[in-house]
Amino acid sequence: IMKLDKKLLLVTVLPLIVIFIAIIFLTEVVVKSSFQQNAYSYTDMVAEDAKSDIEAELNSHLMVLNSLSMNLVSLYSEGVLTREIATNLLKQAVESSDAFGGGIHLDPNVLGNDADYVNAPYHDETGQFYPYFYKDETGAVVDDVLLTEQGGEVWYDLPKAARKGVIGSPYVMDGVRVMAASIPLIADGKFIGIAMVDVNMDAINHQVATIKPYHTGFAHLMDDKGTIIATEFASDTDVN
C-alpha cells in the first residue's frame, strides 16, 4: 500500500511541479516581453522629443537660408540684383543668425561678365562670384574670403541636380565641425546658383548629450546612411 501511495503521490505531484515550472517560465517571458515593450515605447518617446528639439535648431538656420535665397531670386528676377547687393545680403544673413558661416555660389556670368571681376574681392582668378562669410572665435564676421570647394559635390552638385535643398554630413571648417545646408537658386525656371549656410555642430552635439534614457544611457544622431553626425562622444564624430 505504501508503494502504491508513493506512486500516487509522484503521479500527482510531478505534473504539478511541471505546471508550476511552466507557469514561472511563462511569467518570466511575459514580464521580459512587457519590460522590453515598455523600454521600446520609452525610447521612442525620448527620441521623438529629441527630434523636435533638433528640428527646431535646424529650422532656425533653414529659415535664414530660405529668406536669403528668396531675396536673391526675387531681386534677380526684377533685374536689380548686383554682386554688391548679394554680398551685403549674405553678410547680414550670417550676422543675424547662429550659423557658423554662409556662402553664395553663382554660375558663370549670371551677374554680368565675370572677366571684369578677375581676382576682385569675393571672386576667383576667373572672376566667378564665390562670397563666403564666417564667424571667428570672437563671434566677429570675417569677410574677403572665397567659398571653398570642400564638400562642393554635396552643397552645390546635389541641389543643382535635384532642384531642392540638401543637408550634408558634417565636415571641418577652420577647425570647427559644421554641417552644410544648401538650397538652389531658381529664377524663372533657370538654375543660377546656390546659397548655403554652415551649421555649427556644437549646439546640436550639446542637445544630443543631454539625452539620457533612464538617466544613465546616451544617444547618437545618425544620418540616413547610419553615420553618426552628433554625439556627446567627440571621438565618434571626428572628421579628418
Side-chain angles (χ1 to χ4, degrees), residues 104-212:
I104 297 172
H105 185 306
L106 295 185
D107 274 7
N109 302 310
V110 165
L111 294 177
N113 187 6
D114 286 349
D116 295 336
Y117 298 89
V118 171
N119 292 323
Y122 315 117
H123 298 75
D124 67 7
E125 66 279 0
T126 70
Q128 199 163 355
F129 190 49
Y130 294 137
Y132 184 87
F133 293 86
Y134 71 98
K135 294 172 182 171
D136 63 16
E137 62 276 5
T138 68
V141 174
V142 178
D143 60 1
D144 200 19
V145 292
L146 298 180
L147 182 58
T148 69
E149 293 298 325
Q150 184 179 11
E153 66 279 1
V154 174
W155 53 254
Y156 179 80
D157 294 342
L158 286 182
K160 180 177 182 178
R163 293 295 198 271
K164 64 180 181 179
V166 172
I167 297 179
S169 297
Y171 64 99
V172 173
M173 178 73 175
D174 286 349
V176 179
R177 291 191 70 255
V178 298
M179 183 169 63
S182 177
I183 192 169
L185 303 175
I186 309 294
D188 303 320
K190 175 187 174 183
F191 176 86
I192 62 172
I194 62 94
M196 57 86 69
V197 293
D198 278 322
V199 179
N200 192 323
M201 292 300 293
D202 286 348
I204 295 177
N205 276 330
H206 176 73
Q207 285 185 324
V208 173
T210 62
I211 304 171
K212 298 290 184 182

Side-chain angles (χ1 to χ4, degrees), residues 28-239:
E28 184 178 359
V29 170
V30 170
V31 169
K32 284 185 177 179
S33 177
S34 177
F35 177 79
Q36 288 177 338
Q37 188 59 46
N38 289 338
Y40 291 148
S41 297
Y42 171 72
T43 52
D44 284 345
M45 180 184 67
V46 171
E48 194 62 32
D49 289 343
K51 174 186 172 184
S52 299
D53 292 339
I54 293 171
E55 283 182 342
E57 176 70 25
L58 289 176
N59 283 338
S60 67
H61 295 284
L62 296 180
M63 288 175 62
V64 171
L65 180 58
N66 283 330
S67 177
L68 171 63
S69 64
M70 286 190 295
N71 284 334
L72 292 171
V73 168
S74 175
L75 292 173
Y76 178 84
S77 297
E78 294 171 9
V80 295
L81 182 64
T82 64
R83 300 177 191 230
E84 181 180 3
I85 290 175
T87 301
N88 289 335
L89 287 173
L90 174 62
K91 185 175 182 180
Q92 291 168 11
V94 174
E95 286 177 334
S96 63
S97 73
D98 293 327
F100 169 78
I104 297 172
H105 185 306
L106 295 185
D107 274 7
N109 302 310
V110 165
L111 294 177
N113 187 6
D114 286 349
D116 295 336
Y117 298 89
V118 171
N119 292 323
Y122 315 117
H123 298 75
D124 67 7
E125 66 279 0
T126 70
Q128 199 163 355
F129 190 49
Y130 294 137
Y132 184 87
F133 293 86
Y134 71 98
K135 294 172 182 171
D136 63 16
E137 62 276 5
T138 68
V141 174
V142 178
D143 60 1
D144 200 19
V145 292
L146 298 180
L147 182 58
T148 69
E149 293 298 325
Q150 184 179 11
E153 66 279 1
V154 174
W155 53 254
Y156 179 80
D157 294 342
L158 286 182
K160 180 177 182 178
R163 293 295 198 271
K164 64 180 181 179
V166 172
I167 297 179
S169 297
Y171 64 99
V172 173
M173 178 73 175
D174 286 349
V176 179
R177 291 191 70 255
V178 298
M179 183 169 63
S182 177
I183 192 169
L185 303 175
I186 309 294
D188 303 320
K190 175 187 174 183
F191 176 86
I192 62 172
I194 62 94
M196 57 86 69
V197 293
D198 278 322
V199 179
N200 192 323
M201 292 300 293
D202 286 348
I204 295 177
N205 276 330
H206 176 73
Q207 285 185 324
V208 173
T210 62
I211 304 171
K212 298 290 184 182
Y214 294 108
H215 306 292
T216 58
F218 57 88
H220 296 316
L221 177 64
M222 296 185 292
D223 63 15
D224 57 352
K225 298 181 180 62
T227 303
I228 296 174
I229 60 175
T231 177
E232 64 177 300
F233 307 109
S235 60
D236 290 340
T237 55
D238 284 344
V239 179

